[in-house]
Structures are given as structure tokens and as C-alpha cells.
Amino acid sequence: MPSTANVARDTNFQHGDDRGQSAPVIPSSSNAILVIPSSLTINTRGDEESRRPSTLPSDVIGWRDLPRKGQLLVITLARLSEPLTQTSLQAYMFYQLRWFDPTLPDAAISAQAGVLHASFTAAQFFTAMLWGRVADSKLAGRKTVILIGLLGSLISCLGFGFSTNFRQALFFRSLGGITNGNIGVMRTMISETIRDKKYQSRAFLILPMTFNVGVIVGPILGGVLSDPAGSYPAFENVEFFKRFPYAAPNIVSAIFLATAVLLCWLMLEETHDALRDTRDIGIILGGKLKKLLRRNNNSIAYAPIHSRETSISTTTTADYELSPATPRNSAEAAPKQPAIRRRYRSRLPFRRIFTRNVSFTFASHFFLAFHVGTFNSLWFVFLSTPVYNPRDPEPPGFKPHLPFRFTGGLGLPPRSVGLAMALLGVIGISMQLFLYPWLSARLGTLRSWRTFLFLFPVTYLVLPFLAVVPSSTAPPSQKTGLAIWVAISGVLFVQVSARTFALPAQTILVNNCTPHPSVLGTVHGLGQSVSSLARTIGPIAGGWLYGLGLSHGFVGGVFWGMTGIAVAGVIISFWAREGDGHEIWLDGDDEDNADNLH
């Protein structure tokens, strides 16, 4: 008798696929015919989900429907610590650079800010692919790379906070980039933890949503804690804060990073197929700590459910029920988790990774990362740049001529910059929670990605005109009043709408363009290298052009150049397509397991 997995494949009965066709018929060993109801799915996976009603492609998957929530939570907390650190320093970077050398003009400080921002991504460009290869190797795996990245970020964060000149700050920012390939590895772990495509729109939304949480908290943290001696009378005589005015926010960020390191070591499970069953001291110790914390609770464990459907489906870890008679985490009482079948035994050679779809997906990824990275680096500089003062114009003798010839920024102090940066996160996380899942389920990954790419050129076209929005206070004071904050909110709404849909979809497309699962970590590492290259070139070129525009009365030039880059990204997107993550098949690949993932 053929196996149920093979029969399911021969009858086109795929996991989670319900297009209204009649139920498949499976011949049994007797003369009877076994009819499987179309509302059930066949699942042979050992660690993700049990039999459940199939989901229509247009249905929206809820957050509570996601499997492996505990592991996703650990990955989320690990990811949160990094944008918290990165966005925190953006609230005060302009002022820290001015503190390094008060004699520098604003144009030079803007260029330094671009270099400082790009140094992190430049270092990532050279190392992200290497970290991806290390994560794919049997000697290290995913978890080891993430722990190294978090530790590197911790050291970089503390070093940057205690820097007293530009060179020191540049060194520690670069160090953070060299040791950090975590975003690509985290995407790989999410892909291997949540293998079913119907959950991807939710699962891959976790990282950008976490980034937006960091964007909310980080800038506020940086704006409130930076230069306490100069901001709060209670600390004006504290020698430590006079000597290191920007150490406080970095110390707090380092505490978050240290917590993330500890949580990952104790709770994060390895997802590399070849390393899942290896001994992990951190997981063992974490299990003992959880057992110690729960020892006073009523003890329960999992016992297998014996059901009549076992003839058509293998037992999964979800086919267990709670039993109050046995102790929790008892190795003697609880049944052992079934071994996970390996999806592949051969590794795809590096030279075969770059298929046509991989190349076009990476090209579109480059353009998106280029203008989004440039925006992130210039936004806080533009907010901090002094307002154009007609009584003391810079450049000397300059007079604005709208609509193109004008200069200056908004002149916001660190706390107001932090608030404006936090608006990015507030708008973003609201849309990701309430709008993205509903609209993405109806448009699909590829269509929603292409549609919302069109919003980026609109944002960059109108953004520089914030410099000429009327203010309730006269120059050289910062821009204030209802009009400027309404304008800021409007520009951010359009930009965040675009990135809310484009960035998670881009991550899914990079994940699914993988030609073979054996190089999934490598592909995400390459994707991070492509992104890092774009985020290196963009901020450096953007910072230089922004400073050039300030000194020549043409501050909008760099933003209108970004409009052209965004239009090029829209055009390239029409050559990319959504893959299935297994375009190339090698000897020893598990077809039965692969069929259950679509």
C-alpha cells in the first residue's frame, strides 16, 4: 500500500489547499474506499501543527494561529534590542558630532553623520554573507551567530557612548557591523520555525513590527537621556555626565542587549536541520530554571491522544493532551518528541545560487534598501539642521526662490527629534497590526509589494518642502506650531505606509527565492550584504549631497534624487516573482516533506 504522503501528492491534495475540488479518495488495503473530508489536511510534520480545517487563501491568519509562539517571542526580543540601540543614537547623533568638534559647520556635521551611519552597514556588507555561511555550517549554526552578533552590538554600544571624538565613534560603529549578521539569520530561523507559507505574512511581519517598537522607544530614550548635565539642572554638576554626556542612553541600551543575550542562550532553539538534536547547555539550563520556577505549580505534562484518524496521519507533537497526573518537563513521564525528518542531505554549490529570480529579487532589494536607508540616515539630520535665517543666511547672501531653491531644516532639539522619530514607529506598528494582515491576504505578497512601492517616490518628492512650512516662532528658533507637526505626520504616514507593506513582502520574496533549503542562511546573508551595500552607499552619498545642498541653497536636491532611485526600484520589481524556496532539487531531497510546506 502506498504511503499517505505519496497518495496525497498524487491526488494533488496539498497542505492547506482548498479550492473547492472534491475530496481525495485513498484506496485502503481492503476493498473499501477511504474518503478524506476536504475540510481536513494531512500533516506529517513533527513539530508544528495538528489536523485542522483548511484555510482559504483569502482568509486572514490571526496572531494566535501562529505555531511555535515561544520561539518567535525569543527572536522578537532579540531583534527588539538592536533597533532600540540603533534608533536611540539617531536622536542625538547630530549634537554628539557637534560636541566632538564645535568648530565644524553644519554641512560637515551632516557629512560625518552619513559616514557614521554608513560605517555600520559597510562593515555588515563585508561580513553578512560570511555570517550566513557560518550559520549554514554544522560547526556553528544559527544560534551561535545570533549570540555573537548580540555581544558585538553590546560592546559597540558601550564604546560609542564613551567615545570622545569622531574616530572612536567610527571604530565602535564599524565593530558593531562587523560582528552583526543577525537580521539575515533571524529571518532564516523564522523561515525554519514557520515553514507553512500561509503563516508567512504574519511571521515575517514580526521583525519589521519589532523594528517599529524600537523606533518608538529608542528615539525617546535617546532624546531624554542624552546630555543629562546640559538638559537637567539636577545633573549639571555630575562630573561623569560632563565627561561623557552621551553615555547614559548607551548604558541603558547595553542592559537591553545583555538581557537579549541571556534569553537567547537559555531559550532559543537551534533550527539548523543537522544541529537540532545536538546538546545545548543553554537550553538545558533554561529548562532547569523553568522547572525550578514552576515546582510549586500543579504539575502537568503531555500525553498522546489516541484517535481513529491515526491511520491517515502520523502522530505530531501537537497530538498531545495535558495530563495532570504526571510532572511537567518529566523526561520519564512525557513522551519523547518524534525525530524531525531532514529535508535535504546535499548542499547546493555556491555558484548555483544566483538563478534569474534570485538576481532580480536581489536587485529590487538593493534599490529598496538604498532609498529607505538613505531616508533613515537623512531624516534625523534634516530634523536637527538649523532653520534658514534670512537675517544670517547660510550660504551668505542667499535668498530662497521657490519651488526649488531653498535651504535649511527644522532645527528641532534632541527631545523633539526623538518624538518625530517615534512617530515613524507609532504609525508603522498601528498599520502592521490592523491593516497589513487584512490587505496583504487579499492582494497577495507580490501585488502588495509592487503597489506600495509607488508611494516612496511621492514621499521623497514632498519631504524637503517641510523646510518652508510656516512656523509659529521666528528664525532662528526651531519650527513649532500645528502646521509643521501636521505636515511631518502627513509625510511620515505616506512613507510608513509604503515601508509597512514593502519591507515584510521584500523579506518574504528573498526567503522564497532561495533555490534550495540547504543555502537558506546563505541567501539571507547575501540579502543582508546587498542591503548593507545599499545602506552604505546611500547614506554616504546622501550625507555628502545633503551637505552640498545646504551650502548651495538646494537642500531638496538629495531627496529628489532619491525619488529617481525609488522609481527605478518600482521598474525592477516587475521582473521579480515569488518562488517556492526549492527551485533546484538534489539527490536525497525529501519530496514528501516539501509537499507539505506549500
Side-chain angles (χ1 to χ4, degrees):
M1 176 180 174
S3 67
T4 55
N6 289 334
V7 172
R9 186 172 69 252
D10 294 340
T11 57
N12 293 323
F13 185 67
Q14 295 184 354
H15 174 68
D17 191 6
D18 184 3
R19 300 181 180 87
Q21 70 267 38
S22 59
V25 178
I26 297 182
S28 65
S29 56
S30 64
N31 293 328
I33 299 295
L34 177 63
V35 179
I36 301 178
S38 60
S39 62
L40 295 179
T41 60
I42 291 179
N43 186 8
T44 61
R45 298 176 63 193
D47 67 339
E48 291 195 10
E49 62 182 46
S50 61
R51 186 179 293 104
R52 64 178 64 185
S54 62
T55 305
L56 289 171
S58 60
D59 288 346
V60 179
I61 299 296
W63 290 108
R64 59 185 174 183
D65 296 326
L66 286 174
R68 307 300 306 280
K69 297 182 186 67
Q71 288 302 291
L72 293 177
L73 178 61
V74 177
I75 295 172
T76 298
L77 293 175
R79 175 59 179 149
L80 175 61
S81 62
E82 295 183 352
L84 196 71
T85 303
Q86 303 300 328
T87 58
S88 172
L89 62 89
Q90 290 181 350
Y92 57 82
M93 183 184 287
F94 186 89
Y95 297 94
Q96 185 176 15
L97 290 172
R98 177 175 284 172
W99 176 72
F100 288 158
D101 188 353
T103 63
L104 290 178
D106 292 339
I109 293 176
S110 300
Q112 281 190 346
V115 172
L116 209 56
H117 188 92
S119 61
F120 182 88
T121 52
Q124 278 190 326
F125 166 69
F126 291 107
T127 60
M129 188 190 70
L130 297 177
W131 287 122
R133 298 293 283 179
V134 172
D136 275 340
S137 73
K138 298 178 182 179
L139 298 177
R142 327 295 195 203
K143 182 175 179 177
T144 301
V145 172
I146 285 180
L147 289 174
I148 292 172
L150 290 172
L151 286 170
S153 296
L154 192 155
I155 297 170
S156 169
C157 176
L158 287 175
F160 186 87
F162 286 92
S163 296
T164 56
N165 57 62
F166 177 72
R167 290 183 180 179
Q168 291 176 0
L170 183 63
F171 170 79
F172 284 108
R173 283 289 288 165
S174 301
L175 177 65
I178 289 171
T179 57
N180 195 324
N182 280 5
I183 183 63
V185 180
M186 287 178 181
R187 288 169 180 166
T188 302
M189 294 191 81
I190 287 178
S191 175
E192 292 172 329
T193 302
I194 309 296
R195 293 181 180 176
D196 197 326
K197 270 193 173 183
K198 69 180 181 180
Y199 297 116
Q200 283 188 344
S201 64
R202 285 280 186 180
F204 280 109
L205 184 61
I206 289 174
L207 295 185
M209 190 166 66
T210 304
F211 177 83
N212 278 324
V213 174
V215 167
I216 296 171
V217 180
I220 295 176
L221 191 71
V224 170
L225 296 180
S226 63
D227 192 16
S231 302
Y232 307 104
F235 299 105
E236 62 183 5
N237 295 321
V238 179
E239 187 61 31
F240 175 80
F241 291 136
K242 288 183 178 180
R243 187 176 179 186
F244 304 107
Y246 300 98
N250 287 279
I251 292 173
V252 173
S253 296
I255 293 173
F256 280 107
L257 286 165
T259 304
V261 170
L262 187 62
L263 285 174
C264 286
W265 184 55
L266 295 176
M267 300 179 65
L268 186 62
E269 298 174 7
E270 179 60 64
T271 61
H272 193 299
D273 273 20
L275 300 174
R276 284 175 180 260
D277 298 325
T278 57
R279 180 181 174 85
D280 189 325
I281 297 176
I283 292 293
I284 294 172
L285 182 57
K288 290 181 178 179
L289 289 173
K290 282 191 274 187
K291 185 175 180 180
L292 183 65
L293 293 173
R294 293 170 176 169
R295 65 182 179 181
N296 294 325
N297 296 339
N298 292 329
S299 53
I300 55 177
Y302 293 100
I305 296 174
H306 300 287
S307 122
R308 66 184 180 212
E309 289 90 358
T310 52
S311 60
I312 61 171
S313 175
T314 59
T315 303
T316 70
T317 53
D319 294 328
Y320 292 100
E321 63 183 358
L322 291 175
S323 170
T326 53
R328 183 187 293 270
N329 295 333
S330 170
E332 295 82 7
K336 293 183 178 179
Q337 181 172 326
I340 299 171
R341 294 175 63 181
R342 294 185 60 178
R343 293 175 293 161
Y344 56 88
R345 299 189 180 277
S346 302
R347 187 173 181 179
L348 186 73
F350 183 81
R351 66 180 181 277
R352 297 186 64 187
I353 290 177
F354 297 95
T355 63
R356 174 185 171 88
N357 190 42
V358 168
S359 300
F360 278 116
T361 303
F362 279 176
S364 62
H365 190 35
F366 177 88
F367 281 101
L368 180 60
F370 188 99
H371 60 74
V372 171
T374 307
F375 169 83
N376 290 338
S377 70
L378 290 181
W379 176 240
F380 73 91
V381 176
F382 180 62
L383 294 174
S384 304
T385 301
V387 176
Y388 168 74
N389 185 3
R391 297 179 181 178
D392 184 20
E394 181 63 37
F398 174 76
K399 292 184 179 181
H401 296 283
L402 295 177
F404 302 115
R405 294 282 293 175
F406 58 91
T407 188
L410 307 188
L412 301 183
R415 274 178 286 184
S416 297
V417 171
L419 178 61
M421 295 289 292
L423 273 176
L424 272 171
V426 172
I427 297 172
I429 199 169
S430 300
M431 299 184 71
Q432 287 167 339
L433 283 172
F434 302 111
L435 182 61
Y436 175 84
W438 175 81
L439 198 55
S440 178
R442 281 152 180 77
L443 293 178
T445 300
L446 197 61
R447 187 182 298 176
S448 64
W449 175 62
R450 287 173 178 162
T451 300
F452 282 87
L453 285 178
F454 282 93
L455 294 183
F456 285 111
V458 176
T459 302
Y460 306 140
L461 194 64
V462 302
L463 189 152
F465 291 102
L466 291 175
V468 296
V469 172
S471 172
S472 59
T473 55
S477 298
Q478 68 179 81
K479 283 189 176 289
T480 56
L482 180 63
I484 188 62
W485 285 103
V486 169
I488 289 174
S489 300
V491 169
L492 289 181
F493 180 80
V494 178
Q495 207 272 347
V496 174
S497 298
R499 67 194 294 170
T500 295
F501 285 85
L503 295 182
Q506 182 73 69
T507 301
I508 293 174
L509 292 174
V510 169
N511 181 77
N512 292 343
C513 80
T514 304
H516 192 267
S518 65
V519 292
L520 181 60
T522 302
V523 167
H524 277 296
L526 284 168
Q528 188 174 357
S529 289
V530 169
S531 174
S532 297
L533 176 63
R535 292 171 187 265
T536 300
I537 299 173
I540 290 178
W544 178 75
L545 288 172
Y546 181 79
L548 193 66
L550 280 178
S551 60
H552 288 78
F554 193 61
V555 73
V558 63
F559 297 106
W560 297 325
M562 288 163 56
T563 302
I565 298 295
V567 169
V570 172
I571 295 171
I572 291 291
S573 71
F574 287 94
W575 276 276
R577 62 178 177 82
E578 185 174 5
D580 62 4
H582 209 146
E583 182 179 338
I584 299 174
W585 289 82
L586 303 175
D587 291 339
D589 288 356
D590 186 356
E591 295 186 31
D592 294 346
N593 200 351
D595 282 345
N596 276 330
L597 305 182
H598 303 306

